[in-house]
Amino acid sequence: METPNSKDQRIDDALDPVGVRHRATLREEWPLLILLVLVWGALWRDFSPGNLLFGALIAVLITTLFPLPPVVLPGRLNLWYCFKLFLWFLREVVAASVHVSYLALFKGRATRSSLIAVPLRTESDLIVMTVGHVLTLIPGSFVVDVDRRSSTLYLHYADTEDERAVERARTQIRDIERRLIMAIGSKNEYEAIKAECGPKFSARKAQ
């Protein structure tokens, strides 16, 4: 799903010739600014125009003092796969909550957890970030570190008794990546998923 050294190039593209990180443009940062303004209003429980305007000033100040690397949007959105992803996420949250409750009630300290590394197929910062957020929101796992250069997630994962359980966890995480690519990934990544799944792709579309 990537060309040789493409991820190294992705890091290099974020720097100018003297090694200083490029600043994101307003066109790239406006979704972040809107989110920060909404968070500001939610924290104060005040969505009046005056408070939102002050929140907008705070958002601009934060993004100026603590700039983030530009996140390139893929420009593709499949509403059907987004809807299926949402339903799948709700099901997983419920199932994982029940499972974690069982572990707490019946296994307690006997439960074994692992720190695992999962190299993802994508080279999209957006997909990597979203996979990490989805995993953190599902009980039983959370991200402890991310290697942006190799798109590798490092996670704490509960109830991993042996190597087979660890590999099962990696498979589940890459399945989350697949679902996200089908929903919001670039056209090239979507086609790569289709090629990877082969004849199984039609069956997966029905899931």
Side-chain angles (χ1 to χ4, degrees):
M1 201 172 291
E2 63 196 67
T3 58
N5 299 322
S6 61
K7 291 177 181 174
D8 290 337
Q9 186 62 48
R10 174 163 57 102
I11 302 298
D12 294 339
D13 288 344
L15 306 176
D16 64 19
V18 296
V20 178
R21 186 171 63 190
H22 287 306
R23 293 295 303 271
T25 64
L26 180 61
R27 181 179 179 183
E28 294 168 329
E29 281 198 332
W30 70 263
L32 174 61
L33 293 174
I34 291 177
L35 177 61
L36 290 175
V37 171
L38 292 176
V39 169
W40 176 265
L43 289 174
W44 288 100
R45 299 183 182 180
D46 181 3
F47 289 91
S48 64
N51 190 55
L52 292 181
L53 177 60
F54 186 72
L57 295 176
I58 296 295
V60 172
L61 179 63
I62 289 175
T63 55
T64 300
L65 295 178
F66 307 101
L68 295 173
V71 175
V72 179
L73 300 178
R76 174 184 165 274
L77 178 69
N78 188 300
L79 294 179
W80 172 240
Y81 284 130
C82 286
F83 177 68
K84 293 204 301 182
L85 176 64
F86 177 70
L87 293 181
W88 171 88
F89 174 73
L90 292 181
R91 185 190 67 191
E92 288 298 308
V93 168
V94 172
S97 299
V98 172
H99 183 64
V100 170
S101 299
Y102 166 80
L103 294 177
L105 291 173
F106 297 101
K107 297 189 68 174
R109 295 184 179 180
T111 302
R112 295 186 59 184
S113 302
S114 300
L115 289 175
I116 63 176
V118 185
L120 301 180
R121 294 160 289 194
T122 184
E123 58 185 62
S124 166
D125 290 329
L126 178 64
I127 299 292
V128 173
M129 176 192 70
T130 310
V131 171
H133 281 301
V134 169
L135 284 165
T136 300
L137 291 171
I138 296 175
S141 63
F142 62 88
V143 178
V144 297
D145 198 7
V146 180
D147 184 346
R148 184 182 180 217
R149 185 178 298 274
S150 63
S151 294
T152 299
L153 296 178
Y154 297 89
L155 305 103
H156 178 274
Y157 215 91
D159 196 24
T160 46
E161 298 288 346
D162 50 31
E163 186 61 31
R164 185 170 59 180
V166 171
E167 287 304 316
R168 185 165 58 248
R170 289 195 177 101
T171 300
Q172 292 170 347
I173 293 166
R174 287 169 65 87
D175 182 63
I176 296 174
E177 178 194 20
R178 176 187 66 81
R179 292 175 183 275
L180 281 166
I181 288 175
M182 292 170 70
I184 62 173
S186 67
K187 184 177 180 180
N188 289 339
E189 289 184 323
Y190 177 74
E191 293 298 326
I193 286 293
K194 288 174 61 178
E196 178 183 309
C197 294
K200 297 180 181 179
F201 183 77
S202 297
R204 289 183 181 273
K205 289 178 66 176
Q207 296 179 358

